[in-house]
Amino acid sequence: MRILHISKYYYPYIGGVENTCKYLVENMPENQFAVVCFNEQKDDRIDMVNGVKVYRVGAKLTIARQALSLSYFTVLKRAIREFKPDVIHFHWANPYPAFVLLTMIPKNVKLVIHWHMDIIKQKKIYALIKPVETMLLKRADRICVTSPQYRDGSIPLQPFKDKVRIVQSAIDESKLTIREGDIEKIEKLQAKYGKKKLVFFIGRHIQYKGLPCLLEAEKYVKSDCEFLIAGKGPMTDELRENFKSPRIYFLGKISDDEARICNYAASVFAFPSITKNEAFGLSLCEAMYCHTPAVTYTIPGSGVNWVNLNRETGIEVPNRDVKAFAVAIDELLSNSALNKKYSDAAHKRIVTNFTLPSEINALRNVYYELNVN
């Protein structure tokens, strides 16, 4: 089967959707793959990434986080002509490429939509996007969503639920397994903070990640601990200014290796996302794999509460209730037996459900349903 993925960006750009696309492309050797995506630069170019041909469209303009380029028509048409796909696998939300695709997708080519998220934030322009979204869903042969919760909570998907299949997101275990020298690094990190228990957060500093809720909750946490805040974003400076507790440490952007060490060193993973913009939570999966129980908010329609099961693998509290979030952190820090119980269950849940083989097998079943000769 020849499968053309259309993603917003692609490796070496790092993001949740981009990582998912790369994992799928590189781990199904029975198929042939190519990728169309935007280039972070303004030039169109073609390159090879681990044996996969990647057509990159120069981003000439960006509006509401959507890259735009008239050359997308030319590049996509070329990719379809040269690669001759049996299936086009489109990663939503990516409205402009969806519009371009609808103008030229051959009738005999099957279309799989990977529905990573609803369009929520761009309410003012959604009226312009909705017709494209609806046409795309009508044209789709199958629609993949990352959790049952997102399937059932997504308004645009309700008329098309007969075409929806669950293809859960997944983590790459090879990035997270303990390797030589890690134990010493974990101990060194813990010693750096006086061997106090650590609460760890990693993610972009943007509104839906809920970081202000976590930093407000810190005021109510009674345990003697330290808060490590990794990542950066448009809210970073404001957060540094507004939250100056001596036990809050802003680490900035850290590497995958550093993130792994922090996950294993921490006693609690704080995941305070507050809206279904957080459709799944790969960083949550990574922490749970590293035996770190999480505290999360209830997010209707999000897969977060499917990944972290309340009172089984961690603790879930009412959305935006900072005092309840603090109480949950304290409970996990003060009750070592409960922490161990949840951490073991968290690791087992990720290994069983949210590693690459599970995701690949789920998608393989979707492709087989298409009955492509």
Side-chain angles (χ1 to χ4, degrees):
M1 197 180 300
R2 299 175 66 83
I3 303 168
L4 177 65
H5 277 254
I6 301 178
S7 178
K8 189 171 184 179
Y9 294 101
Y10 193 71
Y11 186 85
Y13 182 95
I14 301 299
V17 173
E18 290 74 22
N19 285 343
T20 294
C21 182
K22 184 173 183 288
Y23 290 157
L24 297 175
V25 163
E26 294 186 355
N27 288 279
M28 300 181 75
E30 70 273 24
N31 300 308
Q32 297 179 57
F33 291 96
V35 177
V36 175
C37 65
F38 280 108
N39 187 6
E40 292 184 87
Q41 309 303 319
K42 292 186 177 182
D43 60 310
D44 300 336
R45 63 186 177 91
I46 299 173
D47 57 19
M48 300 293 291
V49 178
N50 295 335
V52 176
K53 195 171 189 177
V54 180
Y55 298 80
R56 301 188 193 269
V57 182
K60 305 298 192 295
L61 178 67
T62 300
I63 298 176
R65 297 184 66 187
Q66 173 66 76
L68 301 170
S69 175
L70 287 175
S71 63
Y72 209 104
F73 287 86
T74 304
V75 175
L76 181 57
K77 184 175 291 187
R78 177 182 176 183
I80 293 173
R81 183 182 69 250
E82 292 180 348
F83 185 65
K84 297 180 175 61
D86 301 303
V87 177
I88 290 179
H89 186 134
F90 188 93
H91 294 266
W92 182 265
N94 202 2
Y96 178 69
F99 167 74
V100 177
L101 175 64
L102 287 167
T103 69
M104 66 180 67
I105 182 171
K107 291 182 179 180
N108 64 327
V109 173
K110 302 290 187 179
L111 178 61
V112 173
I113 307 301
H114 209 128
W115 195 268
H116 293 278
M117 67 195 76
D118 295 345
I119 292 176
I120 298 171
K121 189 175 180 180
Q122 293 86 356
K123 294 180 180 179
K124 292 182 180 179
I125 62 172
Y126 182 61
L128 300 174
I129 296 171
K130 184 172 176 55
V132 174
E133 178 183 81
T134 301
M135 285 189 289
L136 191 72
L137 290 169
K138 286 181 177 179
R139 175 61 177 81
D141 295 279
R142 290 293 183 272
I143 303 163
C144 303
V145 298
T146 54
S147 71
Q149 285 78 358
Y150 218 91
R151 173 197 61 200
D152 297 338
S154 171
I155 293 174
L157 294 183
Q158 297 314 297
F160 308 99
K161 285 179 73 173
D162 61 315
K163 297 193 284 189
V164 173
R165 303 292 183 270
I166 307 301
V167 177
Q168 66 272 41
S169 294
I171 57 153
D172 182 356
E173 288 183 89
S174 66
K175 291 169 46 181
L176 301 169
T177 52
I178 290 285
R179 57 200 67 182
E180 186 177 354
D182 276 2
I183 299 300
E184 292 79 8
K185 291 176 182 177
I186 292 166
E187 292 175 348
K188 184 177 179 180
L189 180 67
Q190 291 170 331
K192 179 179 178 179
Y193 295 100
K195 295 192 177 296
K196 295 181 181 180
K197 292 182 178 180
L198 303 176
V199 178
F200 181 51
F201 166 94
I202 185 169
R204 289 192 68 211
H205 299 179
I206 52 179
Q207 187 176 9
Y208 77 80
K209 292 291 185 180
L211 194 46
C213 292
L214 170 61
L215 298 180
E216 185 67 26
E218 178 271 336
K219 301 174 183 178
Y220 302 100
V221 173
K222 298 176 182 178
S223 302
D224 188 15
C225 61
E226 309 283 10
F227 287 73
L228 306 186
I229 309 299
K232 62 180 182 179
M235 297 180 68
T236 302
D237 292 342
E238 178 185 351
L239 293 170
R240 284 179 177 274
E241 182 64 28
N242 292 340
F243 298 97
K244 295 184 176 181
S245 168
R247 61 179 182 173
I248 295 175
Y249 298 85
F250 287 91
L251 307 182
K253 191 173 182 179
I254 62 176
S255 68
D256 287 345
D257 287 341
E258 290 170 320
R260 182 180 66 255
I261 298 304
C262 287
N263 273 322
Y264 279 109
S267 296
V268 174
F269 185 70
F271 195 79
S273 294
I274 53 178
T275 77
K276 63 181 292 189
N277 287 84
E278 190 70 77
F280 192 80
L282 285 173
S283 62
L284 172 63
C285 289
E286 291 178 348
M288 291 169 64
Y289 181 89
C290 296
H291 292 268
T292 308
V295 178
T296 57
Y297 280 127
T298 302
I299 311 173
S302 168
V304 166
N305 307 125
W306 184 50
V307 174
N308 183 41
L309 300 180
N310 188 33
R311 295 294 171 180
E312 291 186 33
T313 62
I315 301 177
E316 175 187 325
V317 300
N319 202 295
R320 302 175 197 255
D321 187 336
V322 297
K323 291 185 178 179
F325 206 92
V327 169
I329 290 174
D330 270 327
E331 185 175 2
L332 289 174
L333 292 178
S334 61
N335 189 332
S336 59
L338 185 69
N339 191 298
K340 179 69 164 56
K341 176 184 175 181
Y342 288 171
S343 69
D344 290 345
H347 176 78
K348 182 178 179 180
R349 179 159 179 76
I350 300 306
V351 170
T352 304
N353 298 284
F354 304 119
T355 54
L356 285 180
S358 297
E359 181 180 30
I360 290 165
N361 286 336
L363 182 60
R364 185 176 283 124
N365 290 335
V366 172
Y367 287 159
Y368 285 161
E369 283 187 20
L370 299 176
N371 196 27
V372 174
N373 295 323

